[in-house]
Amino acid sequence: MLTGVALAWSLFQLWQASPLPFVFKAGVFNDTQARAIHLAFALFLAFTAFPARRASPRHRIPLQDWLLALAGAFSAAYLVLFHEELAGRAGAPTPLDLAVALVGMALLLEATRRALGPPLLVVAAGFLVYTFAGPLMPDVIAHKGASLAKTLSHQWLSTEGVFGVALGVSTSFVFLFVLFGALLERAGAGNYFIQVAFALLGHLRGGPAKAAVVSSAMTGVISGSSIANVVTTGTFTIPLMKRVGFPAHKAGAVEVAASTNGQLTPPIMGAAAFLMVEYVGISYLEVIRHALLPALLSYIALIYIVHLEALKAGMEGLPRRQPRSLAQVLLTWLTLLLGLGALTVAVYFGIGWLKTVFGDASLWVIGALVLAAYLGLLAYATRFPELVPDDARPRELPDPGPTVKSGLYFLLPVVILLWCLTVERFSPELSAFYATLFLIFIVITQWPLRALFQGHGWLDAALRRGLDDLGQGLVKGARNMIGIGVATAAAGIVVGTVTLTGIGLVMTDFVEFVSGGNLLLMLLLTAVISLVLGMGLPTTANYIVVATLMAPVIVALGAQQGLVVPLIAVHLFVFYFGILADDTPPVGLAAFAAAAIARSDPIRTGLQGFAYDIRTAILPFMFIFNPELLLIGVEDWVQLLLILTSAVVAMLAFAAATQHFLLVRNRLWEGAVLLLVALTLFHPGFWWDRLFPPLEAVAPARLHALAAALPDGASLELNLAGETLDGDWVHRQVRLPLGPAAATPEQRLGHAGIVLRHQGERVFLEQIFFGSPAAAAGVDVDWEILQLWQPTAVPPKQLMILPALFLLAMVVHSQRRRAPASRITPSPDP
């Protein structure tokens, strides 16, 4: 029965996402009702798949769990069954409405405990207690409190609490991507990606560990779950790492560090990435663009860290069956890159040409070509041995060519997903639907077609195997969603509490009080909060809680200190530290999973994994102060290339400093210089702005003249002081964008949202336009402009890269004199 429920849930989600014009589908369920059905499934399976106790060794589900499951499902489905009545009495719930809401809230908290453990339950319950105990709280976070009826109505019967944005994203976006990953894994793509990584990288120093990094990145693209990455790739990579010389705790730690970073690798970054689309108000493609460079830097650094560990231990790579020269290796990679480039160009322009020629019929033509590509790649794959998972692989690597060619057709669903997201600009759910639909076709047909191409005929057993894989994949996708569905619903309690009590309005004052208004200290506080909460919360729930409370505060404090912090940078900051909590002792879930496979101490494994992840922890601080790392403000390819090069070198220098090893063990001064090099390359303006201040002070009376002189796209830097509505006297530095240069000074200032009033040499804000940049910056009428800043002509800050490279060269020269010759001269490709 549970398998049938899980299967029905997956089919319902596919049906909901379908863009096909089914007559019987149109207008059946609105968004709120779909969320209610989604939660009803999650609650039912949470009580039946995770019962508190098993009544017998045969795993019979106790009667009380069946009753709780049915009651939970009914409490959620109540919004569907009686939606017309609830809409007619909105804001005036009946006793029955409140009773159902109370039962639903209680069962949601219990389901959270069963599926996810106590931490999220404690957080959600704590926010509920805060809702009722507001008058008893300290003044800085006190509120008037709320009644039980108002709380239940707000949290369960509206879209402000449990059935809010978080659960909506889980319903519409996340399920389809989780289902896509489960089907891809069931089809055999997970094993394919792992073995391809080993075939390509296993010959390098510490090759299995480097392959673990790459394979976790590839499976992270599919699953978006660090723990799922550990158990998927770790069962294969950890034993191999131990075999080539890695200690058990380091083998587990490498897998943990690689797997946690898989969740921040575009294009599938877990549920939190889709929540960013809603919270930040940008497209999913923009989220991918901003997250791409930090993820790339993180993985490059981790591969380098693995290389340093291999150097420390004197490891060598696993031998290939057929040794290859360096020229052959370079020719292979060059051919691969050129071939991929040519194929990409041909596909992109070829599809554009097909759309022009065939018009509305182009979809069918493109579909036929994709089908032909699938049949051709599958027929080609049957020429090579099937990849079978094997933990006891011999001490030599398979040939890369046959390994790669044996499963090229697995790339087609991923290509379709990326094409729909990036080129066609479809919504995430529609892109995932099309990719999943094609993947379902692959799962069903790959075994019968393999049998046909290999001359065995159309075997019933092969068809049954494909159908069984499909059923198991659909069921696994639903089971993987239980925790996420319950977590996003429980996290909705936190969001509902914030909107009901208004705590978000006083959070700025609270954080300013704790941090003293220091932005860096406040960022450290936010990172610690994310790590502490993330030790027990899923990444998505952690992100919702911390981003809801802290993101506006960071932006506001940055504005007060004259730093424009992009909202996406703040959300990625919270997201990163929420992910890093998966390997933070004492409750690092990914570390526990890896330690179980490696048979090592979980605390030691977690500490070592976090040591490897320090290079990821530094990135959020860097892109807060230097948004160019998120590709914000990058204007040309030269600037992009310079940012990429300097950031890669900076990350490698930071990794060498934190691992205390470059060519040999670092001396104390060498480690300090490497950290200085990393800081300079990551944020060259940190030093340059002190040598050449980018702004100079101007008398406020010259504001109109400055507004007339500044070019298009310029902004005003203003230092203001005034009284808030609460009677507090504050100082604030803001940056306001001006209108087009062709406009008058008054019109340009109006674009910023301000009208001025002059009193001698003093200048005040006479009027603030509603919804303008000035209003968003938090300034108010009658505030005085104390200081005006104008840009100065300064040399480019990128010149700081030169002394940084000189310092790096000095460290390399110092270590080369102490390093053994075998570490300086690279060994040939085995």
Side-chain angles (χ1 to χ4, degrees):
M1 178 178 178
L2 299 184
T3 299
V5 172
L7 184 61
W9 191 9
S10 292
L11 294 175
F12 170 76
Q13 296 293 156
L14 285 170
W15 177 64
Q16 277 292 111
S18 171
L20 300 178
F22 294 138
V23 176
F24 58 87
K25 177 190 172 186
V28 173
F29 299 118
N30 59 34
D31 289 342
T32 303
Q33 293 169 333
R35 297 174 192 179
I37 296 174
H38 179 83
L39 182 57
F41 275 115
L43 288 176
F44 184 88
L45 290 176
F47 282 104
T48 51
F50 300 101
R53 287 179 192 159
R54 297 299 187 182
S56 71
R58 299 180 64 184
H59 301 300
R60 294 175 57 189
I61 300 172
L63 177 62
Q64 63 266 27
D65 289 323
W66 284 112
L67 296 177
L68 292 175
L70 293 172
F74 174 78
S75 299
Y78 187 79
L79 277 71
V80 180
L81 300 174
F82 302 100
H83 65 280
E84 293 184 358
E85 293 84 350
L86 290 171
R89 56 175 181 262
T94 65
L96 178 60
D97 296 340
L98 296 178
V100 171
L102 180 61
V103 171
M105 292 284 288
L107 292 178
L108 173 59
L109 294 176
E110 171 61 13
T112 303
R113 184 190 68 81
R114 294 192 181 202
L116 303 166
L120 183 54
L121 168 65
V122 172
V123 172
F127 274 85
L128 286 176
V129 170
Y130 173 75
T131 302
F132 300 115
L136 305 177
M137 293 292 162
D139 290 342
V140 69
I141 58 172
H143 64 94
K144 66 179 182 179
S147 66
L148 178 62
K150 184 176 181 181
T151 301
L152 292 175
S153 177
H154 185 84
Q155 294 281 13
W156 195 264
L157 302 177
S158 74
T159 57
E160 297 293 328
V162 171
F163 298 98
V165 172
L167 187 62
V169 171
S170 175
T171 305
S172 58
F173 296 173
V174 181
F175 194 106
L176 292 173
F177 281 88
V178 170
L179 184 62
F180 179 77
L183 288 170
L184 203 55
E185 180 65 30
R186 187 68 189 182
N191 177 56
Y192 170 73
F193 289 152
I194 292 171
Q195 299 208 32
V196 165
F198 272 95
L200 294 176
L201 297 176
H203 64 287
L204 302 173
R205 288 184 189 267
K210 293 175 181 175
V213 174
V214 176
S215 60
S216 291
M218 297 171 75
T219 54
V221 167
I222 300 171
S223 71
S225 169
S226 55
I227 300 171
N229 286 356
V230 168
V231 298
T232 299
T233 62
T235 53
F236 183 54
T237 59
I238 290 176
L240 278 175
M241 283 188 275
K242 292 173 64 178
R243 182 183 300 172
V244 296
F246 277 85
H249 72 282
K250 287 191 175 182
V254 169
E255 181 58 44
V256 167
S259 296
T260 51
N261 279 237
Q263 196 168 345
L264 41 92
T265 304
I268 304 171
M269 300 159 59
F274 303 109
L275 288 166
M276 285 182 205
V277 174
E278 300 292 328
Y279 289 155
V280 183
I282 61 178
S283 68
Y284 187 62
L285 185 60
E286 289 180 274
V287 173
I288 292 175
R289 180 170 64 88
H290 294 315
L292 181 60
L293 180 56
L296 179 64
L297 292 175
S298 186
Y299 269 110
I300 290 174
L302 185 55
I303 291 176
Y304 183 61
I305 287 173
V306 168
H307 180 73
L308 294 179
E309 290 285 6
L311 283 177
K312 294 178 189 178
M315 299 179 191
E316 298 292 340
L318 298 178
R320 290 192 185 278
R321 294 175 181 173
Q322 298 179 358
R324 299 192 301 167
S325 65
L326 179 61
Q328 290 176 312
V329 173
L330 293 177
L331 180 62
T332 299
W333 282 102
L334 181 61
T335 304
L336 178 63
L337 292 176
L338 291 178
L340 285 176
L343 181 62
T344 302
V345 171
V347 170
Y348 181 82
F349 288 102
I351 291 181
W353 177 78
L354 289 174
K355 288 182 177 180
T356 303
V357 173
F358 292 98
D360 294 338
S362 60
L363 179 62
W364 297 100
V365 176
I366 295 171
L369 291 176
V370 172
L371 178 61
Y374 165 60
L375 294 175
L377 290 175
L378 182 59
Y380 186 61
T382 57
R383 302 179 184 179
F384 306 96
E386 183 182 339
L387 297 179
V388 179
D390 183 12
D391 291 344
R393 182 176 296 281
R395 290 181 175 270
E396 65 178 14
L397 295 173
D399 294 330
T403 304
V404 172
K405 297 170 185 176
S406 64
L408 285 174
Y409 62 94
F410 286 131
L411 299 177
L412 286 176
V414 180
V415 170
I416 290 175
L417 175 65
L418 294 176
W419 179 273
C420 292
L421 278 173
T422 59
V423 179
E424 300 294 343
R425 303 295 182 94
F426 291 161
S427 64
E429 61 266 38
L430 189 57
S431 302
F433 172 79
Y434 283 130
T436 304
L437 206 62
F438 185 70
L439 183 55
I440 288 174
F441 176 73
I442 290 178
V443 172
I444 295 174
T445 61
Q446 65 169 335
W447 301 117
L449 289 175
R450 275 182 174 274
L452 185 64
F453 291 141
Q454 290 172 346
H456 301 307
W458 189 278
L459 301 180
D460 292 341
L463 181 59
R464 286 195 299 270
R465 180 179 179 182
L467 293 174
D468 180 66
D469 284 344
L470 173 61
Q472 293 297 324
L474 293 173
V475 170
K476 184 178 180 181
R479 290 182 178 272
N480 290 346
M481 270 301 300
I482 297 173
I484 298 175
V486 172
T488 51
I493 295 176
V494 177
V495 179
T497 301
V498 172
T499 58
L500 180 61
T501 62
I503 185 179
L505 301 177
V506 301
M507 188 53 64
T508 301
D509 295 333
F510 178 73
V511 175
E512 279 191 285
F513 173 75
V514 175
S515 64
N518 184 281
L519 179 61
L520 181 59
L521 184 58
M522 188 267 301
L523 289 172
L524 288 171
L525 177 63
T526 304
V528 171
I529 292 173
S530 297
L531 289 175
V532 171
L533 288 178
M535 286 190 292
L537 299 188
T539 303
T540 303
N542 182 14
Y543 165 77
I544 294 171
V545 172
V546 183
T548 301
L549 297 176
M550 304 300 296
V553 180
I554 297 175
V555 175
L557 287 182
Q560 291 180 20
Q561 299 181 22
L563 179 66
V564 178
V565 182
L567 188 58
I568 182 63
V570 181
H571 281 260
L572 285 173
F573 182 95
V574 173
F575 180 50
Y576 267 56
F577 280 101
I579 291 174
L580 291 179
D582 278 342
D583 61 9
T584 305
V587 196
L589 301 181
F592 276 96
I597 299 172
R599 298 180 181 178
S600 62
D601 178 67
I603 300 298
R604 191 179 184 190
T605 302
L607 290 172
Q608 186 66 55
F610 191 75
Y612 291 154
D613 269 337
I614 291 177
R615 97 275 175 207
T616 304
I618 194 64
L619 278 172
F621 290 95
M622 293 296 102
F623 61 59
I624 287 287
F625 293 99
N626 182 18
E628 288 182 346
L629 294 174
L630 300 179
L631 304 183
I632 296 175
V634 178
E635 299 177 354
D636 52 50
W637 285 99
V638 175
Q639 185 182 4
L640 175 61
L641 183 61
L642 193 60
I643 291 170
L644 287 173
T645 305
S646 60
V648 169
V649 176
M651 184 54 81
L652 297 182
F654 184 80
T658 55
Q659 296 304 309
H660 314 292
F661 199 93
L662 183 58
L663 300 177
V664 293
R665 183 164 296 278
N666 297 338
R667 291 173 175 167
L668 185 61
W669 72 269
E670 292 172 340
V673 169
L674 288 173
L675 289 176
L676 180 63
V677 168
L679 173 62
T680 304
L681 293 177
F682 270 134
H683 189 18
F686 180 81
W687 308 108
W688 202 246
D689 292 348
R690 285 156 176 77
L691 296 174
F692 303 97
L695 301 173
E696 64 177 358
V698 178
R702 294 189 53 201
L703 198 153
H704 277 85
L706 182 61
L710 290 175
D712 271 327
S715 299
L716 283 175
E717 295 274 353
L718 304 174
N719 194 338
L720 305 105
E723 190 175 3
T724 65
L725 294 176
D726 297 327
D728 299 325
W729 191 264
V730 297
H731 289 264
R732 186 165 297 174
Q733 185 164 329
V734 300
R735 179 180 298 175
L736 302 178
L738 292 173
T744 65
E746 290 78 9
Q747 290 172 334
R748 302 193 76 186
L749 293 175
H751 182 273
I754 59 176
V755 176
L756 305 180
R757 182 180 77 249
H758 292 264
Q759 294 181 359
E761 293 297 319
R762 302 174 68 184
V763 181
F764 296 85
L765 301 182
E766 176 70 16
Q767 186 177 353
I768 304 294
F769 296 149
F770 178 78
S772 65
V779 300
D780 210 341
V781 176
D782 286 332
W783 283 24
E784 182 179 2
I785 300 177
L786 302 179
Q787 194 68 62
L788 175 64
W789 304 90
Q790 72 174 1
T792 59
V794 297
K797 63 182 179 181
Q798 286 76 15
L799 291 176
M800 281 300 300
I801 295 176
L802 298 178
L805 293 178
F806 174 78
L807 292 175
L808 180 60
M810 185 174 65
V811 173
V812 172
H813 176 70
S814 173
Q815 295 205 3
R816 283 177 66 91
R817 298 171 61 182
R818 311 197 309 271
S822 59
R823 287 183 180 169
I824 298 175
T825 305
S827 58
D829 187 2

